[in-house]
Amino acid sequence: MGYAILKSIHLLSLFVWVGGMFFALYCLRPAAGKLEPALRVALMRDALGRFLRIVAVAAVLVLVSGAWMIATASRVSVSAGIGFNMPIDWHVMVTLGVVMIAIFVYIRYALYRQLEQAEAAHDWPAAGAALGRIATLVRVNLVLALIIVVVTRIGAAA
């Protein structure tokens, strides 16, 4: 039961994070592109600020629940006397997940601050450039998430 709860927390947190990235990139960003620069930047800064706070919680939940599930699987295997060798798909998931979190941290603490500073200075080209860099890294994270899903599904089927 505890493992099922951890897995649910893990997956729900990922749904929020990955779904939010998809929405921001392919729904919100194109719609905001029709606004004048000051309104577009204000909308995107506000929406991203809210989303980044939510993702911070989701990323912590993903990290903690994932580590806990790996530790649980290890404990159960060792106590059963069969030892524990983490499957390769789990290694891929952990590695790419950590990369995704690092990218999120960079977006939140470097690029988002650049966006805020550019908006405060009414420097719309710099704000647009920051938004563009954020969008590029969000695309990278979406690709990493897709790789994780494919690799873990293939690993589960093997």
Side-chain angles (χ1 to χ4, degrees):
M1 170 105 167
Y3 193 86
I5 291 170
L6 287 172
K7 193 165 191 174
S8 295
I9 290 168
H10 194 77
L11 290 173
L12 290 171
S13 296
L14 287 168
F15 292 159
V16 168
W17 185 1
V18 175
M21 288 190 301
F22 184 89
F23 172 79
L25 206 60
Y26 297 108
C27 301
L28 179 61
R29 191 168 189 262
K34 296 177 182 176
L35 300 172
E36 66 175 79
L39 289 175
R40 176 176 49 240
V41 169
L43 171 65
M44 292 302 292
R45 183 211 18 92
D46 189 45
L48 284 172
R50 293 167 191 261
F51 179 64
L52 294 172
R53 284 190 296 276
I54 291 167
V55 171
V57 173
V60 168
L61 290 173
V62 166
L63 199 57
V64 169
S65 62
W68 202 313
M69 286 188 292
I70 290 170
T72 299
S74 175
R75 259 191 324 276
V76 168
S77 294
V78 169
S79 69
I82 57 175
F84 180 70
N85 289 317
M86 196 161 79
I88 189 71
D89 57 313
W90 289 19
H91 283 283
V92 171
M93 178 174 37
V94 168
T95 302
L96 295 183
V98 169
V99 171
M100 287 179 67
I101 290 171
I103 289 170
F104 160 75
V105 168
Y106 179 70
I107 290 170
R108 172 61 189 94
Y109 293 103
L111 297 179
Y112 185 72
R113 285 193 177 146
Q114 289 174 12
L115 173 62
E116 289 179 313
Q117 291 168 351
E119 182 190 28
H122 302 286
D123 185 349
W124 309 129
L131 284 168
R133 288 189 297 276
I134 289 169
T136 297
L137 289 176
V138 169
R139 282 186 193 92
V140 169
N141 262 0
L142 278 172
V143 169
L144 293 176
L146 178 65
I147 292 169
I148 291 169
V149 168
V150 170
V151 167
T152 56
R153 293 314 327 144
I154 290 170

